[in-house]
Amino acid sequence: MRVALFVPCYVDQLRPSVAHATLALLERCGFDVDFPEAQTCCGQAHLNSGGARDARVLATRFLEIFAPYEKIVCPSASCVATVTQHYGDLLPVSPELLAIRAKTRELSAFLATEVPSTALRGRWQGKIGIQPSCHGLRELRQGRSTERRDGHPFDPLRNLLENLEGAEIVDPVRTDECCGFGGAFCVEEPGVSRLMGLDRLRDHERAGASVVTSSDVSCLLHLEGLARRERVPLEFRHVAELLECATRDPS
Amino acid sequence: MTHPERANAFANNEDRARWHDQALWFVRDRRDRAMQGLPEWEGLRAEAARIKGETLSRLADQLESFEDNAIASGAKVHWAGDAREFNDIVLDLLRTRRVTRVVKSKSMLTEECQLNPWLEAHGVEVVDTDLGERIVQLRREPPSHIVFPAIHLRKEEIGETFHAHLGSPKGLADPTRLTEIARGDLRSKFLGAQAGITGVNFAIAETGGIVVCTNEGNADLGTALPPIHIACMGIEKLVPKTADLAVFLRLLARSATGQAITAYTSHFHGPREGGELHIVIVDNGRSETLANPSFARALSCIRCGACMNTCPVFRRSGGHSYEATIPGPIGSILEPVRDAARHASLPFACTLCGSCTDVCPVAIPLHHQLKAWRGELTERALTGKWKRFCLALSRAIFERPGLYSAAGRLVRWLGRRLPRRWLYGKANTWGIARELPEFPSESFRERYRRERARER
């Protein structure tokens, strides 16, 4: 299967290790992965900040660049949500748009559905806290939203972690409370954003986590920045980094 | 002032903000447990959304049949186009009956229209009889939450307020005793009142009846003692049938407080014997909201307050930070419809986490509407010029992969080289509370290209 790697702009520039881990994982699972170099940004930041016109330009670009691929995989739930849930607000419905929407998957969802769990066996020593991506949760419907009463939701991130020997998932209180990043929110509302983040750090610490993981890098950059300032001894690893490390062949 | 300015002030008092957060989370948690008790919860939400959607789509007809049936039951129906008309109608009703003492149960509509100051300016004493509303009324403050008007106050502060206004002993902070003192004071107001004003939770088109939900029974006392009952409702309060209440009443109390049902659910069909029932139906901008396809669904709101309790921003910024009659997520949609320039910062007081959408009993896509508002505010040039410039500039960079790579390289280089005091200068809002990420020497695409070139 020919898979396109969709790397969010801020991952490309600020946390390239997540993209490298994603690439390594996909190749390890036997996919033929291509990184279309014309890609830059999906337009999420623009759309969420009110710049629908600017986002529309970037969405149009995205459609052209990724059209040739069978699957598009991205290590960011919020960028995927922009493409699959919100491009429809920006662009007229077209076969191209529908195709892109159907083909674009968040990494953990892709791995959990396209790869047999035996291929992603590994080991991880330590207690893992999950900071669910709000957009993964409430746009892509990946994971359990505590507000809703639905039976057994699709929770690929948790399933992948549970598949790791030695890994113990420790859930904080308020399992799905937002971390307070929120894109431009984190600089426009610094006081509230900071407090939200600090509360999350405390909750994960109290749950006993040594590492916090997520399907979005942005949440982790925000939490990590706060933790480093406050000297909170938590590690932050995107699910791609964590899985890539855990499933690496020991030989 | 904008929302961030007020919110920062609230959040920077960490103890208070955390306590406020915990108080509201307690309600959210109770709501979750009540919701878990109903296997059909998601179905009820969908049904509620459907009923409200259909009602709003033929609101004019529904309003007319409500009016006909209400009149047939003996009520008088009045129509108010805006707040001014509403206030005039109520004042006129009171004046012609020589009423100078009124008790009022909770009604966000009367807050919205600023009825109290209007009546007071014309010599009518209005006493809010909901305990929380009474507290903020004594303090001359607006409510900070639509269900818990005094949730921003600690019991010690309420003790001080009662000491100053109701003569309670200084330093008294026992909630039970404070409540008894308020109740004693209110009892005399109920007995002395010549008219009672209430809000309306649901108006039933097929019967012309209205339903008022309270937990304190204050609407019942306020309408059972005085001979005149003035019920105030926005045009969106309609449901077609009595049977629809089976959906809404179950959702309302569970969403609002986690109760199975409000302690008092009072149905009014016409005036009681020898009394008068006036129903004032108010538009005040609602038709405009209804005409706007992006935000029309927000009119389905049943004012349960669940979006406020769940909102991680509201919990840490306090209701007053919104400076709006209806605060929180739903207020951030409804208020800008009235005055977009004044409330332009509200749709941005949100991380788009979507919890409000999932908690909403009538399934309003709140966070998507907030996002739509952001777009609308930008189109109307009501967001900052600098922000719009940054959006356009970054878009122009993202359209050109070469330029994007160069810009990224420059930023990372600067991030690694600049001295800390420059990096953490005034412009770096991120850095007020957080460290910047470590800037890598190579972007993903740079290393990817380098490694692939070597492989070939």
Side-chain angles (χ1 to χ4, degrees):
Chain A
M1 192 190 287
R2 193 154 171 250
V3 172
L5 183 58
F6 158 23
V7 177
C9 48
Y10 63 96
V11 172
D12 180 32
Q13 297 295 332
L14 296 175
R15 191 84 172 231
S17 54
V18 171
H20 290 297
T22 305
L23 178 61
L25 271 175
L26 291 171
E27 290 188 329
R28 201 177 293 161
C29 293
F31 296 103
D32 177 13
V33 187
D34 195 8
F35 174 72
E37 290 198 41
Q39 67 174 293
T40 54
C41 168
C42 66
Q44 179 189 189
H46 303 78
L47 180 60
N48 290 357
S49 300
R53 278 166 196 268
D54 299 306
R56 190 169 297 127
V57 175
L58 298 174
T60 308
R61 271 193 98 239
F62 187 96
L63 246 58
E64 288 164 12
I65 292 163
F66 285 96
Y69 297 92
E70 259 180 273
K71 287 277 183 213
I72 303 157
V73 178
C74 172
S76 159
S78 57
C79 295
V80 171
T82 299
V83 174
T84 62
Q85 314 296 309
H86 298 291
Y87 271 11
D89 303 336
L90 294 172
L91 303 171
V93 177
S94 64
E96 292 77 19
L97 174 65
L98 295 177
I100 286 283
R101 269 165 39 172
K103 290 192 290 193
T104 309
R105 302 298 301 276
E106 183 275 323
L107 175 69
S108 66
F110 180 81
L111 292 177
T113 49
E114 302 281 339
V115 177
S117 62
T118 48
L120 286 164
R121 285 236 173 91
R123 41 171 55 253
W124 183 270
Q125 273 323 313
K127 295 183 176 174
I128 306 173
I130 298 176
Q131 178 57 42
S133 152
C134 293
H135 291 167
L137 207 58
R138 303 192 188 91
E139 299 278 348
L140 302 179
R141 293 283 161 224
Q142 295 176 190
R144 198 175 83 82
S145 311
T146 53
E147 301 89 357
R148 284 164 62 92
R149 200 181 190 293
D150 31 24
H152 301 283
F154 174 55
D155 196 347
L157 174 56
R158 187 173 292 267
N159 295 348
L160 291 170
L161 297 179
E162 282 170 350
N163 196 31
L164 301 177
E165 202 182 311
E168 188 190 339
I169 300 174
V170 286
D171 285 315
V173 295
R174 309 188 186 185
T175 50
D176 54 358
E177 173 105 318
C178 175
C179 71
F181 170 69
F185 177 88
C186 74
V187 289
E188 288 176 352
E189 292 266 5
V192 177
S193 172
R194 166 180 171 273
L195 203 54
M196 285 171 72
L198 291 182
D199 287 351
R200 250 357 356 217
L201 292 180
R202 187 194 53 192
D203 294 341
H204 281 294
E205 252 195 317
R206 282 190 186 162
S210 57
V211 59
V212 175
T213 193
S214 174
S215 56
D216 248 322
V217 177
S218 46
C219 316
L220 296 178
L221 289 177
H222 157 70
L223 289 175
E224 189 177 66
L226 282 167
R228 277 172 50 210
R229 175 69 58 87
E230 305 287 330
R231 300 183 195 287
V232 175
L234 279 171
E235 254 194 273
F236 300 87
R237 299 252 201 143
H238 183 267
V239 61
E241 296 172 310
L242 198 150
L243 274 182
E244 194 279 323
C245 183
T247 61
R248 218 178 277 163
D249 192 352
S251 60
Chain B
M1 280 225 285
T2 60
H3 183 271
E5 293 169 284
R6 296 183 295 263
N8 285 341
F10 191 91
N12 288 342
N13 185 346
E14 279 184 38
D15 284 346
R16 189 179 199 99
R18 287 222 163 88
W19 162 79
H20 188 260
D21 164 64
Q22 294 282 354
L24 287 172
W25 185 263
F26 174 78
V27 183
R28 158 75 209 271
D29 199 47
R30 278 183 46 155
R31 172 261 173 214
D32 286 359
R33 275 181 272 154
M35 173 271 296
Q36 289 295 347
L38 280 191
E40 68 271 38
W41 183 260
E42 297 303 329
L44 275 180
R45 290 177 71 219
E47 183 64 3
R50 185 192 64 77
I51 295 169
K52 278 287 182 183
E54 285 184 13
T55 310
L56 291 171
S57 73
R58 47 195 179 97
L59 190 57
D61 298 341
Q62 298 281 343
L63 282 166
E64 278 182 10
S65 60
F66 172 76
E67 181 186 32
D68 291 344
N69 293 324
I71 291 170
S73 75
K76 297 249 169 17
V77 177
H78 310 262
W79 298 89
D82 56 22
R84 182 68 201 253
E85 265 182 50
F86 167 70
N87 290 342
D88 281 341
I89 289 169
V90 176
L91 180 62
D92 189 53
L93 284 171
L94 298 175
R95 267 189 173 163
T96 50
R97 287 158 183 79
R98 299 183 187 289
V99 171
T100 54
R101 295 185 309 275
V102 176
V103 284
K104 179 160 88 56
S105 72
K106 193 143 70 179
S107 149
M108 292 317 294
L109 177 67
T110 59
E111 282 293 329
E112 171 188 322
C113 298
Q114 290 291 297
L115 179 68
N116 282 18
W118 181 254
L119 294 184
E120 282 161 6
H122 291 85
V124 180
E125 182 201 49
V126 195
V127 174
D128 280 313
T129 57
D130 171 271
L131 177 57
E133 286 226 296
R134 182 65 178 149
I135 293 166
V136 293
Q137 183 181 36
L138 289 172
R139 295 171 64 90
R140 300 244 145 229
E141 275 177 12
S144 72
H145 186 295
I146 62 173
V147 174
F148 314 107
I151 192 75
H152 59 292
L153 297 170
R154 296 187 192 235
K155 56 183 190 289
E156 292 78 12
E157 292 166 301
I158 293 164
E160 284 165 29
T161 304
F162 283 10
H163 173 66
H165 295 276
L166 304 179
S168 66
K170 194 166 174 55
L172 180 68
D174 176 57
T176 310
R177 288 195 55 204
L178 288 172
T179 308
E180 280 165 2
I181 287 163
R183 166 185 260 193
D185 175 62
L186 283 173
R187 198 50 58 113
S188 66
K189 303 291 183 191
F190 279 124
L191 290 170
Q194 299 152 299
I197 296 176
T198 70
V200 170
N201 288 92
F202 303 100
I204 303 151
E206 71 171 359
T207 65
I210 54 172
V211 180
V212 181
C213 305
T214 73
N215 271 327
E216 297 165 26
N218 53 319
D220 306 82
L221 269 179
T223 53
L225 293 171
I228 304 160
H229 174 188
I230 303 173
C232 313
M233 59 178 269
I235 55 171
E236 82 283 18
K237 292 290 170 191
L238 280 185
V239 294
K241 302 194 219 93
T242 308
D244 298 329
L245 293 174
V247 175
F248 289 101
L249 290 177
R250 282 199 286 168
L251 287 167
L252 175 63
R254 285 180 173 87
S255 298
T257 59
Q259 293 165 272
I261 193 154
T262 41
Y264 298 86
T265 303
S266 307
H267 300 248
F268 298 90
H269 293 94
R272 63 190 170 85
E273 236 179 83
E276 294 176 51
L277 171 61
H278 297 272
I279 302 171
V280 192
I281 304 175
V282 185
D283 186 317
N284 201 32
R286 285 163 178 74
S287 295
E288 265 173 72
T289 311
L290 189 59
N292 187 328
S294 301
F295 309 115
R297 274 183 75 183
L299 285 180
S300 305
C301 174
I302 57 172
R303 302 289 191 271
C304 69
C307 61
M308 296 162 204
N309 306 335
T310 206
C311 178
V313 179
F314 183 97
R315 278 187 262 116
R316 292 173 182 83
S317 71
H320 287 158
S321 66
Y322 294 81
E323 248 178 21
T325 306
I326 312 275
I330 183 67
S332 301
I333 295 163
L334 293 173
E335 302 286 348
V337 181
R338 269 183 240 294
D339 187 345
R342 186 172 161 221
H343 299 292
S345 66
L346 297 189
F348 294 93
C350 158
T351 62
L352 296 177
C353 80
S355 184
C356 49
T357 298
D358 277 358
V359 94
C360 177
V362 288
I364 301 168
L366 289 154
H367 75 295
H368 289 165
Q369 294 200 351
L370 287 167
K371 192 149 94 171
W373 251 126
R374 297 178 182 189
E376 185 127 349
L377 290 167
T378 308
E379 287 296 306
R380 294 198 212 164
L382 288 170
T383 54
K385 264 192 193 140
W386 171 244
K387 185 172 184 170
R388 277 177 281 142
F389 170 75
C390 287
L391 287 172
L393 176 70
S394 63
R395 186 256 303 142
I397 293 172
F398 286 131
E399 278 183 279
R400 298 164 177 84
L403 186 58
Y404 156 77
S405 287
R409 204 154 47 239
L410 176 67
V411 169
R412 284 183 281 111
W413 185 83
L414 289 172
R416 289 195 310 280
R417 298 295 160 89
L418 286 181
R420 187 175 172 91
R421 65 175 189 284
W422 287 17
L423 270 182
Y424 288 84
K426 262 200 184 134
N428 181 359
T429 321
W430 169 281
I432 297 172
R434 314 172 191 89
E435 291 298 297
L436 289 164
E438 277 169 35
F439 293 93
S441 56
E442 258 183 329
S443 67
F444 168 75
R445 66 184 60 213
E446 285 166 355
R447 188 175 133 194
Y448 179 86
R449 198 175 299 156
R450 184 165 57 79
E451 288 180 353
R452 297 289 137 142
R454 205 169 47 199
E455 277 170 27
R456 274 189 213 115

